[in-house]
Amino acid sequence: MQSLTQEQVIMIVARQFDDPGVTIDADSSMDNVADWDSLVHLGILVSLDVELEGRAAAVKKLAACRSVKEIVSCLAEHQLLTQ
Amino acid sequence: MVGTSERLPELMYNLKLHNGKTLLFETSEKVFIPTGTTTLLLDSVREQIGSRGSILDIGCGIGVVGIALAAYGLATSLSASDISHEAVVLTEHNAVSNGCEVTARHSNLFEAWLDTAFDYIVDDVSGVAEGIAAVSGWFKNTSCESGYDGSLLTKNVIRQSHKHLRSGGRLFFPVISLSNETEIIAEARRCFEKVSLLKQKAWPLPDDLKPHLALLDRMRNEGVISYEEKFGTHIWTTSIYMAHN
Ligand SMILES: C[S@@+](CC[C@H](N)C(=O)[O-])C[C@H]1O[C@@H](n2cnc3c(N)ncnc32)[C@H](O)[C@@H]1O
């Protein structure tokens, strides 16, 4: 995939949580989702990279993003987001 | 057989099930401590088992996967085995304490199940390249005679499984990228008509392995294992496969 929509980013993030009780939306972050730990975070990064066919790994800032909003804007900055 | 009194009761592992129940498992320093691969395997099998059936948990450790599948109501009968006597004793104990029945046997692979067939075989015998297992901390008191490339035991299970699967039966197995995934999958495709990837999860390299990057690098260059450098860390994976005819 060349780029992702915000909805696809949310789905990718949500997929990382095995607990169906966890809901992810545009405002979710490591601060308000208790289960969003470093392991889940790595899973998110790897999944984004798979979906974006290896382009996410080249975005250095992505690893430091702590929320859906930050991920979305970081992808947008690198032309990896479809508005 | 190691007696109950020899167990170290202070180590516990708890597992939250998707139905809200929590299972408590007694473990010890003499056995394999469940990891993320344990729960990934469990979740994959739970999602795939459409109808209840007889289950064999081979390489059961303290019995987490089989006992949890039984707790989900997916087992008409549960059998479990491991090459570690301590693991078998703990599996029996954990089954009782979690209110489920198990036939647990000490066994090198299928040796104790010669004439028995199951609907589902859930394999989790040690499958990390031996040299890496030795320095990893995962197998401190656990047998991991999986060969140089880590594929030996898993390939043996795959090869022997068809004799122990009922018609329509399924084999589930994890493949760690710190073993020869290509070889294992090739073996699965030789033995089964259908082999599918159910789930995959990425992990950062554990601290124990960081001083051994030269060994890992060499094995990666030999094409024996795989991992990637991404997002400032070294990433390896567990993949869960299902095989059937
Ligand atoms: C990676 S651990 C998994 C244990 C358990 N399924 C879990 O997730 O906690 C691998 C297990 O395979 C067992 N094992 C190693 N070699 C074996 C063999 N030849 N036959 C049966 N079990 C074996 C080990 O004793 C160990 O308990």
Side-chain angles (χ1 to χ4, degrees):
Chain A
M1 226 177 275
Q2 295 296 314
S3 61
L4 297 169
T5 62
Q6 173 171 298
E7 285 64 39
Q8 285 170 324
V9 172
I10 291 172
M11 268 168 55
I12 288 168
V13 173
R15 256 198 338 242
Q16 300 306 314
F17 298 90
D18 294 329
D19 187 347
V22 176
T23 16
I24 298 296
D25 58 28
D27 294 319
S28 299
S29 75
M30 288 181 96
D31 297 323
N32 59 25
V33 180
D35 290 349
W36 189 336
D37 57 15
S38 59
L39 204 55
V40 166
H41 199 59
L42 183 65
I44 295 169
L45 298 175
V46 170
S47 294
L48 288 169
D49 197 45
V50 169
E51 296 295 339
L52 291 165
E53 294 161 4
R55 278 184 286 269
V59 180
K60 293 280 170 286
K61 260 176 63 184
L62 201 54
C65 293
R66 296 179 51 85
S67 64
V68 169
K69 277 205 178 94
E70 285 179 18
I71 294 172
V72 165
S73 71
C74 186
L75 293 177
E77 267 175 44
H78 291 81
Q79 286 76 49
L80 295 172
L81 193 86
T82 311
Q83 298 296 337
Chain B
M1 200 86 152
V2 176
T4 328
S5 57
E6 285 184 45
R7 279 190 272 107
L8 305 171
E10 66 272 17
L11 282 165
M12 298 300 287
Y13 172 80
N14 87 46
L15 179 74
K16 202 169 160 231
L17 300 186
H18 285 252
N19 56 18
K21 259 201 220 166
T22 297
L23 302 181
L24 267 181
F25 295 84
E26 195 173 311
T27 178
S28 98
E29 280 145 8
K30 295 180 180 172
V31 295
F32 187 87
I33 305 296
T35 61
T37 294
T38 311
T39 46
L40 191 68
L41 176 63
L42 168 61
D43 285 342
S44 310
V45 179
R46 177 182 60 87
E47 286 171 16
Q48 282 300 319
I49 294 188
S51 55
R52 282 156 51 85
S54 54
I55 297 176
L56 170 65
D57 180 355
I58 182 169
C60 62
I62 60 169
V64 173
V65 177
I67 292 169
L69 290 172
Y72 278 122
L74 296 170
T76 49
S77 68
L78 173 63
S79 305
S81 59
D82 200 286
I83 200 161
S84 152
H85 286 287
E86 288 85 359
V88 175
V89 170
L90 282 164
T91 295
E92 280 171 335
H93 170 87
N94 287 325
V96 171
S97 66
N98 286 299
C100 99
E101 278 180 33
V102 69
T103 304
R105 294 184 183 163
H106 169 246
S107 179
N108 179 13
L109 303 183
F110 287 103
E111 277 173 16
W113 308 106
L114 283 186
D115 299 316
T116 323
F118 306 89
D119 296 308
Y120 306 109
I121 296 175
V122 184
D123 158 52
D124 195 12
V125 295
S126 307
V128 171
E130 264 183 37
I132 297 173
V135 292
S136 70
W138 289 316
F139 297 91
K140 276 189 190 118
N141 292 303
T142 304
S143 167
C144 185
E145 295 185 6
S146 52
Y148 179 70
D149 75 352
S151 71
L152 191 72
L153 296 173
T154 309
K155 283 195 303 190
N156 272 332
V157 169
I158 290 170
R159 236 176 268 134
Q160 294 176 47
S161 278
H162 72 275
K163 283 186 276 172
H164 298 280
L165 276 175
R166 291 192 176 138
S167 147
R170 276 147 205 258
L171 166 70
F172 299 92
F173 58 98
V175 182
I176 312 292
S177 73
L178 302 177
S179 72
N180 197 332
E181 185 154 9
T182 314
E183 278 280 310
I184 294 171
I185 299 311
E187 189 67 47
R189 294 202 196 287
R190 272 193 288 276
C191 298
F192 289 91
E193 280 165 26
K194 293 177 192 129
V195 178
S196 43
L197 174 65
L198 301 179
K199 273 187 198 280
Q200 191 173 60
K201 196 152 179 168
W203 317 99
L205 205 64
D207 290 342
D208 285 334
L209 286 181
K210 287 181 185 156
H212 303 283
L213 274 173
L215 166 71
L216 271 83
D217 251 356
R218 179 165 56 74
M219 295 189 80
R220 180 172 63 175
N221 291 338
E222 291 168 1
V224 170
I225 62 165
S226 63
Y227 62 92
E228 288 181 291
E229 283 112 316
K230 266 185 194 173
F231 304 111
T233 186
H234 296 83
I235 298 172
W236 59 281
T237 57
T238 301
S239 306
I240 309 294
Y241 287 90
M242 175 174 74
H244 60 104
N245 287 326

PDB file of all heavy atoms in Angstrom, chain A residues 53-81:
ATOM      1  N   GLU A  53       4.558  -1.453   3.079  1.00  0.00           N
ATOM      2  CA  GLU A  53       5.588  -2.140   2.279  1.00  0.00           C
ATOM      3  C   GLU A  53       7.001  -1.624   2.564  1.00  0.00           C
ATOM      4  O   GLU A  53       7.763  -1.314   1.644  1.00  0.00           O
ATOM      5  CB  GLU A  53       5.245  -2.054   0.788  1.00  0.00           C
ATOM      6  CG  GLU A  53       3.980  -2.827   0.487  1.00  0.00           C
ATOM      7  CD  GLU A  53       3.329  -2.442  -0.826  1.00  0.00           C
ATOM      8  OE1 GLU A  53       3.881  -1.618  -1.568  1.00  0.00           O
ATOM      9  OE2 GLU A  53       2.235  -2.975  -1.086  1.00  0.00           O
ATOM     10  N   GLY A  54       7.318  -1.497   3.859  1.00  0.00           N
ATOM     11  CA  GLY A  54       8.683  -1.159   4.250  1.00  0.00           C
ATOM     12  C   GLY A  54       8.970   0.329   4.331  1.00  0.00           C
ATOM     13  O   GLY A  54      10.067   0.720   4.715  1.00  0.00           O
ATOM     14  N   ARG A  55       7.965   1.173   4.019  1.00  0.00           N
ATOM     15  CA  ARG A  55       8.252   2.614   4.021  1.00  0.00           C
ATOM     16  C   ARG A  55       8.205   3.225   5.426  1.00  0.00           C
ATOM     17  O   ARG A  55       8.809   4.260   5.670  1.00  0.00           O
ATOM     18  CB  ARG A  55       7.290   3.358   3.082  1.00  0.00           C
ATOM     19  CG  ARG A  55       7.755   3.284   1.623  1.00  0.00           C
ATOM     20  CD  ARG A  55       6.856   4.102   0.743  1.00  0.00           C
ATOM     21  NE  ARG A  55       5.587   3.423   0.573  1.00  0.00           N
ATOM     22  CZ  ARG A  55       5.332   2.564  -0.413  1.00  0.00           C
ATOM     23  NH1 ARG A  55       6.259   2.304  -1.305  1.00  0.00           N
ATOM     24  NH2 ARG A  55       4.170   1.957  -0.504  1.00  0.00           N
ATOM     25  N   ALA A  56       7.496   2.566   6.351  1.00  0.00           N
ATOM     26  CA  ALA A  56       7.380   3.149   7.702  1.00  0.00           C
ATOM     27  C   ALA A  56       8.716   3.096   8.441  1.00  0.00           C
ATOM     28  O   ALA A  56       9.034   3.999   9.215  1.00  0.00           O
ATOM     29  CB  ALA A  56       6.307   2.423   8.498  1.00  0.00           C
ATOM     30  N   ALA A  57       9.492   2.045   8.205  1.00  0.00           N
ATOM     31  CA  ALA A  57      10.771   1.899   8.926  1.00  0.00           C
ATOM     32  C   ALA A  57      11.733   3.038   8.615  1.00  0.00           C
ATOM     33  O   ALA A  57      12.620   3.340   9.408  1.00  0.00           O
ATOM     34  CB  ALA A  57      11.404   0.552   8.583  1.00  0.00           C
ATOM     35  N   ALA A  58      11.540   3.665   7.460  1.00  0.00           N
ATOM     36  CA  ALA A  58      12.431   4.758   7.080  1.00  0.00           C
ATOM     37  C   ALA A  58      12.064   6.065   7.795  1.00  0.00           C
ATOM     38  O   ALA A  58      12.829   7.026   7.774  1.00  0.00           O
ATOM     39  CB  ALA A  58      12.370   4.963   5.567  1.00  0.00           C
ATOM     40  N   VAL A  59      10.897   6.103   8.428  1.00  0.00           N
ATOM     41  CA  VAL A  59      10.468   7.326   9.117  1.00  0.00           C
ATOM     42  C   VAL A  59      10.970   7.273  10.558  1.00  0.00           C
ATOM     43  O   VAL A  59      10.375   6.651  11.427  1.00  0.00           O
ATOM     44  CB  VAL A  59       8.920   7.453   9.086  1.00  0.00           C
ATOM     45  CG1 VAL A  59       8.472   8.725   9.795  1.00  0.00           C
ATOM     46  CG2 VAL A  59       8.406   7.415   7.654  1.00  0.00           C
ATOM     47  N   LYS A  60      12.075   7.914  10.783  1.00  0.00           N
ATOM     48  CA  LYS A  60      12.762   7.827  12.083  1.00  0.00           C
ATOM     49  C   LYS A  60      11.859   8.249  13.249  1.00  0.00           C
ATOM     50  O   LYS A  60      11.863   7.639  14.313  1.00  0.00           O
ATOM     51  CB  LYS A  60      14.033   8.690  12.087  1.00  0.00           C
ATOM     52  CG  LYS A  60      15.105   8.170  11.132  1.00  0.00           C
ATOM     53  CD  LYS A  60      15.875   6.994  11.752  1.00  0.00           C
ATOM     54  CE  LYS A  60      16.777   6.286  10.772  1.00  0.00           C
ATOM     55  NZ  LYS A  60      16.107   5.418   9.784  1.00  0.00           N
ATOM     56  N   LYS A  61      11.043   9.336  13.012  1.00  0.00           N
ATOM     57  CA  LYS A  61      10.240   9.901  14.105  1.00  0.00           C
ATOM     58  C   LYS A  61       9.110   8.976  14.570  1.00  0.00           C
ATOM     59  O   LYS A  61       8.575   9.139  15.657  1.00  0.00           O
ATOM     60  CB  LYS A  61       9.599  11.210  13.612  1.00  0.00           C
ATOM     61  CG  LYS A  61      10.315  12.448  14.071  1.00  0.00           C
ATOM     62  CD  LYS A  61       9.704  13.708  13.475  1.00  0.00           C
ATOM     63  CE  LYS A  61       8.266  13.955  13.905  1.00  0.00           C
ATOM     64  NZ  LYS A  61       7.670  15.138  13.223  1.00  0.00           N
ATOM     65  N   LEU A  62       8.756   8.014  13.736  1.00  0.00           N
ATOM     66  CA  LEU A  62       7.573   7.195  14.014  1.00  0.00           C
ATOM     67  C   LEU A  62       7.698   6.425  15.336  1.00  0.00           C
ATOM     68  O   LEU A  62       6.725   6.312  16.093  1.00  0.00           O
ATOM     69  CB  LEU A  62       7.362   6.212  12.849  1.00  0.00           C
ATOM     70  CG  LEU A  62       5.967   5.625  12.669  1.00  0.00           C
ATOM     71  CD1 LEU A  62       4.913   6.710  12.565  1.00  0.00           C
ATOM     72  CD2 LEU A  62       5.932   4.749  11.426  1.00  0.00           C
ATOM     73  N   ALA A  63       8.890   5.935  15.630  1.00  0.00           N
ATOM     74  CA  ALA A  63       9.077   5.140  16.851  1.00  0.00           C
ATOM     75  C   ALA A  63       8.760   5.950  18.101  1.00  0.00           C
ATOM     76  O   ALA A  63       8.377   5.393  19.132  1.00  0.00           O
ATOM     77  CB  ALA A  63      10.505   4.610  16.905  1.00  0.00           C
ATOM     78  N   ALA A  64       8.897   7.275  18.009  1.00  0.00           N
ATOM     79  CA  ALA A  64       8.680   8.126  19.194  1.00  0.00           C
ATOM     80  C   ALA A  64       7.218   8.581  19.324  1.00  0.00           C
ATOM     81  O   ALA A  64       6.844   9.191  20.325  1.00  0.00           O
ATOM     82  CB  ALA A  64       9.596   9.332  19.123  1.00  0.00           C
ATOM     83  N   CYS A  65       6.379   8.274  18.335  1.00  0.00           N
ATOM     84  CA  CYS A  65       4.972   8.704  18.400  1.00  0.00           C
ATOM     85  C   CYS A  65       4.250   7.935  19.495  1.00  0.00           C
ATOM     86  O   CYS A  65       4.379   6.725  19.586  1.00  0.00           O
ATOM     87  CB  CYS A  65       4.274   8.446  17.066  1.00  0.00           C
ATOM     88  SG  CYS A  65       4.915   9.462  15.742  1.00  0.00           S
ATOM     89  N   ARG A  66       3.487   8.667  20.302  1.00  0.00           N
ATOM     90  CA  ARG A  66       2.844   8.017  21.458  1.00  0.00           C
ATOM     91  C   ARG A  66       1.325   7.965  21.344  1.00  0.00           C
ATOM     92  O   ARG A  66       0.640   7.590  22.273  1.00  0.00           O
ATOM     93  CB  ARG A  66       3.225   8.773  22.738  1.00  0.00           C
ATOM     94  CG  ARG A  66       4.717   8.731  23.051  1.00  0.00           C
ATOM     95  CD  ARG A  66       5.022   9.516  24.328  1.00  0.00           C
ATOM     96  NE  ARG A  66       4.171   9.128  25.434  1.00  0.00           N
ATOM     97  CZ  ARG A  66       4.435   8.095  26.245  1.00  0.00           C
ATOM     98  NH1 ARG A  66       5.517   7.394  26.073  1.00  0.00           N
ATOM     99  NH2 ARG A  66       3.609   7.799  27.228  1.00  0.00           N
ATOM    100  N   SER A  67       0.778   8.378  20.220  1.00  0.00           N
ATOM    101  CA  SER A  67      -0.688   8.398  20.109  1.00  0.00           C
ATOM    102  C   SER A  67      -1.098   8.199  18.649  1.00  0.00           C
ATOM    103  O   SER A  67      -0.273   8.343  17.734  1.00  0.00           O
ATOM    104  CB  SER A  67      -1.219   9.756  20.589  1.00  0.00           C
ATOM    105  OG  SER A  67      -0.737  10.766  19.730  1.00  0.00           O
ATOM    106  N   VAL A  68      -2.377   7.921  18.463  1.00  0.00           N
ATOM    107  CA  VAL A  68      -2.898   7.780  17.099  1.00  0.00           C
ATOM    108  C   VAL A  68      -2.685   9.093  16.345  1.00  0.00           C
ATOM    109  O   VAL A  68      -2.227   9.109  15.207  1.00  0.00           O
ATOM    110  CB  VAL A  68      -4.404   7.384  17.122  1.00  0.00           C
ATOM    111  CG1 VAL A  68      -5.027   7.501  15.737  1.00  0.00           C
ATOM    112  CG2 VAL A  68      -4.573   5.964  17.674  1.00  0.00           C
ATOM    113  N   LYS A  69      -2.987  10.203  17.028  1.00  0.00           N
ATOM    114  CA  LYS A  69      -2.833  11.530  16.383  1.00  0.00           C
ATOM    115  C   LYS A  69      -1.397  11.739  15.900  1.00  0.00           C
ATOM    116  O   LYS A  69      -1.173  12.188  14.773  1.00  0.00           O
ATOM    117  CB  LYS A  69      -3.189  12.637  17.377  1.00  0.00           C
ATOM    118  CG  LYS A  69      -4.664  12.902  17.458  1.00  0.00           C
ATOM    119  CD  LYS A  69      -4.915  14.352  17.928  1.00  0.00           C
ATOM    120  CE  LYS A  69      -6.395  14.598  17.963  1.00  0.00           C
ATOM    121  NZ  LYS A  69      -6.992  14.350  19.288  1.00  0.00           N
ATOM    122  N   GLU A  70      -0.431  11.413  16.773  1.00  0.00           N
ATOM    123  CA  GLU A  70       0.979  11.619  16.407  1.00  0.00           C
ATOM    124  C   GLU A  70       1.377  10.717  15.243  1.00  0.00           C
ATOM    125  O   GLU A  70       2.102  11.130  14.340  1.00  0.00           O
ATOM    126  CB  GLU A  70       1.894  11.364  17.614  1.00  0.00           C
ATOM    127  CG  GLU A  70       1.862  12.502  18.628  1.00  0.00           C
ATOM    128  CD  GLU A  70       2.766  12.242  19.845  1.00  0.00           C
ATOM    129  OE1 GLU A  70       3.658  11.371  19.770  1.00  0.00           O
ATOM    130  OE2 GLU A  70       2.544  12.914  20.855  1.00  0.00           O
ATOM    131  N   ILE A  71       0.898   9.492  15.274  1.00  0.00           N
ATOM    132  CA  ILE A  71       1.233   8.557  14.180  1.00  0.00           C
ATOM    133  C   ILE A  71       0.668   9.098  12.866  1.00  0.00           C
ATOM    134  O   ILE A  71       1.351   9.168  11.845  1.00  0.00           O
ATOM    135  CB  ILE A  71       0.671   7.131  14.462  1.00  0.00           C
ATOM    136  CG1 ILE A  71       1.374   6.506  15.666  1.00  0.00           C
ATOM    137  CG2 ILE A  71       0.811   6.233  13.234  1.00  0.00           C
ATOM    138  CD1 ILE A  71       0.773   5.195  16.156  1.00  0.00           C
ATOM    139  N   VAL A  72      -0.604   9.511  12.929  1.00  0.00           N
ATOM    140  CA  VAL A  72      -1.277  10.008  11.730  1.00  0.00           C
ATOM    141  C   VAL A  72      -0.545  11.232  11.172  1.00  0.00           C
ATOM    142  O   VAL A  72      -0.273  11.317   9.967  1.00  0.00           O
ATOM    143  CB  VAL A  72      -2.771  10.323  12.052  1.00  0.00           C
ATOM    144  CG1 VAL A  72      -3.404  11.175  10.964  1.00  0.00           C
ATOM    145  CG2 VAL A  72      -3.549   9.018  12.227  1.00  0.00           C
ATOM    146  N   SER A  73      -0.171  12.166  12.060  1.00  0.00           N
ATOM    147  CA  SER A  73       0.474  13.377  11.511  1.00  0.00           C
ATOM    148  C   SER A  73       1.888  13.073  11.028  1.00  0.00           C
ATOM    149  O   SER A  73       2.354  13.666  10.044  1.00  0.00           O
ATOM    150  CB  SER A  73       0.415  14.550  12.495  1.00  0.00           C
ATOM    151  OG  SER A  73       1.268  14.307  13.560  1.00  0.00           O
ATOM    152  N   CYS A  74       2.546  12.134  11.691  1.00  0.00           N
ATOM    153  CA  CYS A  74       3.887  11.752  11.236  1.00  0.00           C
ATOM    154  C   CYS A  74       3.816  11.092   9.843  1.00  0.00           C
ATOM    155  O   CYS A  74       4.622  11.392   8.958  1.00  0.00           O
ATOM    156  CB  CYS A  74       4.473  10.793  12.275  1.00  0.00           C
ATOM    157  SG  CYS A  74       6.159  10.369  11.961  1.00  0.00           S
ATOM    158  N   LEU A  75       2.815  10.226   9.658  1.00  0.00           N
ATOM    159  CA  LEU A  75       2.658   9.590   8.334  1.00  0.00           C
ATOM    160  C   LEU A  75       2.307  10.652   7.283  1.00  0.00           C
ATOM    161  O   LEU A  75       2.798  10.605   6.146  1.00  0.00           O
ATOM    162  CB  LEU A  75       1.575   8.500   8.380  1.00  0.00           C
ATOM    163  CG  LEU A  75       1.892   7.259   9.221  1.00  0.00           C
ATOM    164  CD1 LEU A  75       0.704   6.293   9.224  1.00  0.00           C
ATOM    165  CD2 LEU A  75       3.144   6.543   8.717  1.00  0.00           C
ATOM    166  N   ALA A  76       1.456  11.623   7.693  1.00  0.00           N
ATOM    167  CA  ALA A  76       1.059  12.681   6.750  1.00  0.00           C
ATOM    168  C   ALA A  76       2.278  13.488   6.300  1.00  0.00           C
ATOM    169  O   ALA A  76       2.438  13.774   5.106  1.00  0.00           O
ATOM    170  CB  ALA A  76       0.014  13.591   7.406  1.00  0.00           C
ATOM    171  N   GLU A  77       3.145  13.811   7.264  1.00  0.00           N
ATOM    172  CA  GLU A  77       4.372  14.573   6.933  1.00  0.00           C
ATOM    173  C   GLU A  77       5.229  13.862   5.892  1.00  0.00           C
ATOM    174  O   GLU A  77       5.982  14.483   5.158  1.00  0.00           O
ATOM    175  CB  GLU A  77       5.248  14.694   8.191  1.00  0.00           C
ATOM    176  CG  GLU A  77       5.039  15.934   9.003  1.00  0.00           C
ATOM    177  CD  GLU A  77       5.874  15.851  10.283  1.00  0.00           C
ATOM    178  OE1 GLU A  77       7.050  15.450  10.231  1.00  0.00           O
ATOM    179  OE2 GLU A  77       5.293  16.168  11.345  1.00  0.00           O
ATOM    180  N   HIS A  78       5.141  12.547   5.899  1.00  0.00           N
ATOM    181  CA  HIS A  78       5.974  11.769   4.968  1.00  0.00           C
ATOM    182  C   HIS A  78       5.190  11.235   3.769  1.00  0.00           C
ATOM    183  O   HIS A  78       5.580  10.242   3.157  1.00  0.00           O
ATOM    184  CB  HIS A  78       6.672  10.632   5.720  1.00  0.00           C
ATOM    185  CG  HIS A  78       7.712  11.139   6.675  1.00  0.00           C
ATOM    186  ND1 HIS A  78       7.392  11.624   7.928  1.00  0.00           N
ATOM    187  CD2 HIS A  78       9.048  11.296   6.536  1.00  0.00           C
ATOM    188  CE1 HIS A  78       8.490  12.023   8.536  1.00  0.00           C
ATOM    189  NE2 HIS A  78       9.512  11.830   7.709  1.00  0.00           N
ATOM    190  N   GLN A  79       4.072  11.864   3.490  1.00  0.00           N
ATOM    191  CA  GLN A  79       3.219  11.487   2.348  1.00  0.00           C
ATOM    192  C   GLN A  79       2.788  10.015   2.409  1.00  0.00           C
ATOM    193  O   GLN A  79       2.649   9.336   1.389  1.00  0.00           O
ATOM    194  CB  GLN A  79       3.926  11.741   0.998  1.00  0.00           C
ATOM    195  CG  GLN A  79       4.026  13.209   0.599  1.00  0.00           C
ATOM    196  CD  GLN A  79       5.109  13.935   1.385  1.00  0.00           C
ATOM    197  OE1 GLN A  79       6.231  13.463   1.484  1.00  0.00           O
ATOM    198  NE2 GLN A  79       4.764  15.066   1.958  1.00  0.00           N
ATOM    199  N   LEU A  80       2.574   9.520   3.642  1.00  0.00           N
ATOM    200  CA  LEU A  80       2.142   8.128   3.779  1.00  0.00           C
ATOM    201  C   LEU A  80       0.701   8.055   4.280  1.00  0.00           C
ATOM    202  O   LEU A  80       0.235   6.996   4.696  1.00  0.00           O
ATOM    203  CB  LEU A  80       3.070   7.374   4.753  1.00  0.00           C
ATOM    204  CG  LEU A  80       4.523   7.220   4.265  1.00  0.00           C
ATOM    205  CD1 LEU A  80       5.413   6.641   5.351  1.00  0.00           C
ATOM    206  CD2 LEU A  80       4.572   6.330   3.022  1.00  0.00           C
ATOM    207  N   LEU A  81       0.017   9.208   4.234  1.00  0.00           N
ATOM    208  CA  LEU A  81      -1.366   9.232   4.688  1.00  0.00           C
ATOM    209  C   LEU A  81      -2.276   9.736   3.580  1.00  0.00           C
ATOM    210  O   LEU A  81      -1.976  10.729   2.919  1.00  0.00           O
ATOM    211  CB  LEU A  81      -1.527  10.141   5.920  1.00  0.00           C
ATOM    212  CG  LEU A  81      -2.862   9.949   6.623  1.00  0.00           C
ATOM    213  CD1 LEU A  81      -2.774   8.799   7.632  1.00  0.00           C
ATOM    214  CD2 LEU A  81      -3.294  11.219   7.337  1.00  0.00           C
TER     215      LEU A  81
END
